[in-house]
Amino acid sequence: MKKLLVFSLLLLLLITISTKSISASDLISNVQIQTSQNSTTITWNSNELDKSYILWGMKNTDNDINIVSQDPTYTTVHSITINNLAPNTTYYYKILSRTNSSNIMESAVYTFTTLEDTTSSDLIYNIQINTTENSAKIIWDSNNLYKSYILWGMKNTDNDINIVSQDPTYTKNHELTINNLIHNSKYYFKIQYGIINNGATESQIYEFTTLDKELSSDLIYNIQINTTKDSAKITWNSYEDDQSYLLYGTKNTNNDIGTVSKDDNFLKNHELLLNHLNPNTTYYFRIYSKRSTNSIVESETFSFTTKKIINPDKELSNKLKGKLLLGVEDKGRIWYVNPSNQQKYEVTFTNALLIFQKLSLGITNKDLNQISNTKSTTLGNKLKGKLLLQVEDKGRIWYIDSNGIKHEVTWVNLMDLFTSLSLGITNDNLDKIEDGNI
């Protein structure tokens, strides 16, 4: 019995000595980096045939090292180039090796810093500003093809220069008009250029002053209208806390613009919903802002036309549920078809937060981690087309695309991300999908 016990201990000792745990450093070696102003190439070797994966980001946390660059080819000599980076910026990354046996090894966190951009001041030039009492046209040129983005506001601070005007068309000759400004007022703006959702560069801050005007109607600004076949939602801003009044009618005369819609609360951000309207009908309206001093400001006359009644195409709506749609005939407007009711909702910077709050499905961190940002999974396939609200992490928003892959939605990447994932659609087909109301 003692001999058997001694033999067992010797056998266990031999197994322990001959067994070596495999770590990422055994599989991943010779990591090298070559950087430029806005890209970096990372090369490494592996002891086995692996696919090439890199997770990277701008902060050294698991939540931020989450952008994936990959090459699905099995090889022992790996090379991945990450483009559209910001100059003179430190990035963090880690390498993942996935072998034929589906083992995944993760490296330590490495860093690299892109080179300083010594020519950025020459990337945009010839900036011109033309102002009226309530608008400013800003023109500039760029050396490369960029989208047109301007951030602007009434105070010279980063927190206040945050209103976005944009044109998603790639061009070297840029022109954007900012409307609904207040007269005789100073504004500040800066131009963003590059890849807006990842590595955009900002210009210096410029300023302009709108022309003077005696009338005070410019105190009502940023007027926006969203219509359905039988309703219209009208929003606007005022520079003082005002009560909201709106007169509307079907003819552009004082006698016909007489139906009243109002909100007695004193606010700077106003919204009124007009219901029970006739389809395919033009309406005219004026806004009245009533101050606490009982003074009243009246806007000019505006108009809108309600949409035609079109029987929803249930087959088309079902086919496109959960999709993001790009209105190719209407300035690239973005629409989301809610899978729950197969109705469409336009997505803009103004209403995005409300849409996410109303239409998203709450999800825990545990369940969210079951959905990949690189490949389809069982849960990802089940939630295709859904907007998800990460209830355990500050309400972060995610969209699950048609392949069951998750994408985080932020204010920075909102329009670029949705545009890249959207499906082009004509106005005729878009009208066949019923409008939804938030």
Side-chain angles (χ1 to χ4, degrees):
M1 182 68 178
K2 290 182 180 180
K3 290 183 179 180
L4 180 61
L5 178 60
V6 171
F7 176 77
S8 299
L9 291 173
L10 287 173
L11 181 61
L12 179 61
L13 179 61
L14 286 172
I15 293 173
T16 304
I17 294 173
S18 62
T19 301
K20 179 182 179 182
S21 61
I22 300 175
S23 66
S25 60
D26 295 319
L27 294 177
I28 301 168
S29 62
N30 195 26
V31 179
Q32 299 186 35
I33 307 168
Q34 290 184 331
T35 62
S36 66
Q37 294 169 352
N38 53 16
S39 70
T40 190
T41 299
I42 302 171
T43 60
W44 71 94
N45 301 115
S46 60
N47 290 341
E48 298 182 23
L49 290 172
D50 302 338
K51 293 182 179 180
S52 309
Y53 291 91
I54 286 180
L55 294 179
W56 59 277
M58 296 181 71
K59 295 181 180 179
N60 188 8
T61 67
D62 287 338
N63 286 337
D64 291 288
I65 304 179
N66 57 11
I67 306 171
V68 179
S69 296
Q70 61 177 305
D71 182 348
T73 306
Y74 281 98
T75 181
T76 59
V77 180
H78 306 265
S79 178
I80 286 182
T81 298
I82 305 173
N83 293 308
N84 303 321
L85 303 178
N88 196 28
T89 302
T90 297
Y91 291 85
Y92 300 85
Y93 73 95
K94 48 191 175 183
I95 297 169
L96 271 63
S97 276
R98 181 174 183 173
T99 66
N100 276 312
S101 59
S102 294
N103 292 322
I104 297 178
M105 304 301 297
E106 181 177 309
S107 76
V109 176
Y110 301 97
T111 66
F112 63 85
T113 301
T114 49
L115 301 181
E116 185 175 358
D117 188 352
T118 58
T119 62
S120 61
S121 62
D122 297 325
L123 292 176
I124 58 173
Y125 58 98
N126 196 25
I127 298 169
Q128 301 178 45
I129 308 167
N130 298 319
T131 60
T132 67
E133 297 109 352
N134 55 14
S135 69
K137 180 188 292 184
I138 302 171
I139 302 169
W140 73 97
D141 297 317
S142 61
N143 286 336
N144 298 310
L145 290 170
Y146 296 138
K147 297 179 182 181
S148 305
Y149 279 77
I150 287 178
L151 296 176
W152 59 277
M154 296 191 72
K155 295 181 181 179
N156 189 5
T157 66
D158 287 335
N159 288 335
D160 293 287
I161 303 179
N162 57 12
I163 305 172
V164 177
S165 294
Q166 63 173 303
D167 184 344
T169 306
Y170 282 93
T171 182
K172 292 183 179 181
N173 307 114
H174 307 264
E175 179 180 310
L176 284 175
T177 299
I178 305 173
N179 293 307
N180 302 318
L181 304 179
I182 188 171
H183 67 281
N184 196 28
S185 297
K186 181 176 289 187
Y187 290 83
Y188 301 87
F189 74 95
K190 51 190 176 183
I191 299 169
Q192 281 194 346
Y193 53 96
I195 306 301
I196 300 303
N197 70 332
N198 182 16
T201 303
E202 291 183 350
S203 73
Q204 67 184 72
I205 295 175
Y206 302 90
E207 65 180 61
F208 62 84
T209 301
T210 50
L211 301 182
D212 196 8
K213 184 179 180 182
E214 294 182 356
L215 299 177
S216 60
S217 60
D218 287 334
L219 295 176
I220 300 168
Y221 69 102
N222 195 24
I223 299 165
Q224 299 188 36
I225 309 165
N226 291 309
T227 62
T228 68
K229 61 182 181 297
D230 58 2
S231 68
K233 183 168 67 176
I234 302 172
T235 61
W236 71 95
N237 302 111
S238 59
Y239 283 103
E240 297 184 23
D241 287 321
D242 302 337
Q243 291 176 316
S244 310
Y245 289 84
L246 189 146
L247 296 182
Y248 66 98
T250 56
K251 295 182 181 179
N252 190 8
T253 67
N254 288 333
N255 290 334
D256 290 287
I257 302 179
T259 307
V260 178
S261 180
K262 67 177 184 177
D263 182 347
D264 290 330
N265 295 309
F266 284 93
L267 303 167
K268 290 186 175 71
N269 302 315
H270 306 269
E271 177 182 310
L272 286 175
L273 181 64
L274 311 182
N275 290 309
H276 310 299
L277 304 180
N278 295 321
N280 196 28
T281 303
T282 298
Y283 288 83
Y284 301 87
F285 70 93
R286 288 192 295 269
I287 296 170
Y288 295 83
S289 281
K290 184 177 181 181
R291 308 280 159 73
S292 57
T293 58
N294 288 325
S295 62
I296 296 177
V297 175
E298 178 182 341
S299 77
E300 61 184 285
T301 300
F302 301 93
S303 67
F304 63 85
T305 301
T306 50
K307 296 183 177 179
K308 298 178 182 178
I309 291 182
I310 297 177
N311 291 328
D313 186 330
K314 293 184 179 181
E315 183 178 349
L316 179 64
S317 300
N318 184 61
K319 181 180 179 180
L320 296 177
K321 64 181 181 182
K323 300 284 189 183
L324 294 165
L325 304 178
L326 178 71
V328 294
E329 298 174 343
D330 193 3
K331 301 179 181 178
R333 294 164 68 185
I334 299 292
W335 301 81
Y336 171 64
V337 183
N338 184 18
S340 300
N341 58 14
Q342 298 182 15
Q343 294 177 341
K344 69 177 187 286
Y345 300 82
E346 184 176 8
V347 181
T348 67
F349 277 110
T350 304
N351 72 356
L353 178 60
L354 185 59
I355 285 180
F356 296 156
Q357 290 173 338
K358 297 291 185 180
L359 303 184
S360 60
L361 177 69
I363 191 168
T364 63
N365 291 348
K366 180 180 178 181
D367 286 341
L368 186 64
N369 288 336
Q370 296 181 43
I371 306 172
S372 172
N373 55 8
T374 60
K375 62 181 181 180
S376 64
T377 59
T378 301
L379 185 57
N381 288 329
K382 183 178 179 180
L383 296 175
K384 285 180 181 179
K386 292 285 189 180
L387 290 167
L388 303 179
L389 179 70
Q390 193 172 354
V391 295
E392 296 175 342
D393 192 357
K394 302 177 182 178
R396 294 165 67 184
I397 299 294
W398 300 81
Y399 172 68
I400 310 302
D401 69 17
S402 58
N403 295 314
I405 295 172
K406 68 183 178 185
H407 304 265
E408 184 172 10
V409 183
T410 68
W411 288 115
V412 177
N413 75 0
L414 171 64
M415 299 313 291
D416 274 353
L417 174 65
F418 276 19
T419 299
S420 68
L421 297 175
S422 62
L423 177 70
I425 191 169
T426 63
N427 289 346
D428 284 344
N429 283 332
L430 193 62
D431 288 338
K432 295 176 183 177
I433 304 172
E434 187 176 2
D435 290 304
N437 286 319
I438 294 297

